[in-house]
Amino acid sequence: MSFDELPATGTIRRAPTGTIERTAPIRRVEPIELLRRVPYGRLATSMRALPFLTVARHIVCDGRILLRMHSGFGHHEACDGSVVAYGADNCNDATSGDGGDLWSVQFTGPAEIVHPCPEQERLFGAAPVSVNGEPFAPAYLRVDPHFVTEHTLNF
């Protein structure tokens, strides 16, 4: 195989025999796929002309994001049919001292109230017991990411 025939991904090195070898391909993780690495993020939109930011549990399904949040404050109703912003990161990993890279992903897109199937509900895992002293009552939103950004800090 000649140098020109090698795929563009991966690391290329010259083997001791003089032949060219390609190591395992370097796979870049897409920003939305990074969300699979952390369970929670922050949902932002406006409600009655005031901005709000709330914590939500997320899962990635078919390129869309399913969110589980507390229904008691009506935030999910304010999001239904609106464009929302969502972001998550692994910045808590900075305290672990493992020397890994930090990242954050943010996206905007339309949201709608959904009722997940039992398999999707299981992916969310255990729900909180309470929110601000009230029993947790789940509401689910599906967000279709349209504009996605990723920021990384490399160490």
Side-chain angles (χ1 to χ4, degrees), residues 36-57:
R36 294 182 191 273
R37 298 180 182 182
V38 296
Y40 287 90
R42 291 157 223 79
L43 175 68
T45 192
S46 61
M47 185 170 163
R48 295 187 231 18
L50 296 172
F52 76 84
L53 183 68
T54 190
V55 174
R57 172 74 167 95

Side-chain angles (χ1 to χ4, degrees), residues 1 3 6 11-23:
M1 175 180 279
F3 184 82
L6 290 172
T11 303
I12 298 171
R13 66 182 177 127
R14 188 166 299 279
T17 61
T19 61
I20 296 175
E21 296 179 343
R22 181 179 58 89
T23 61

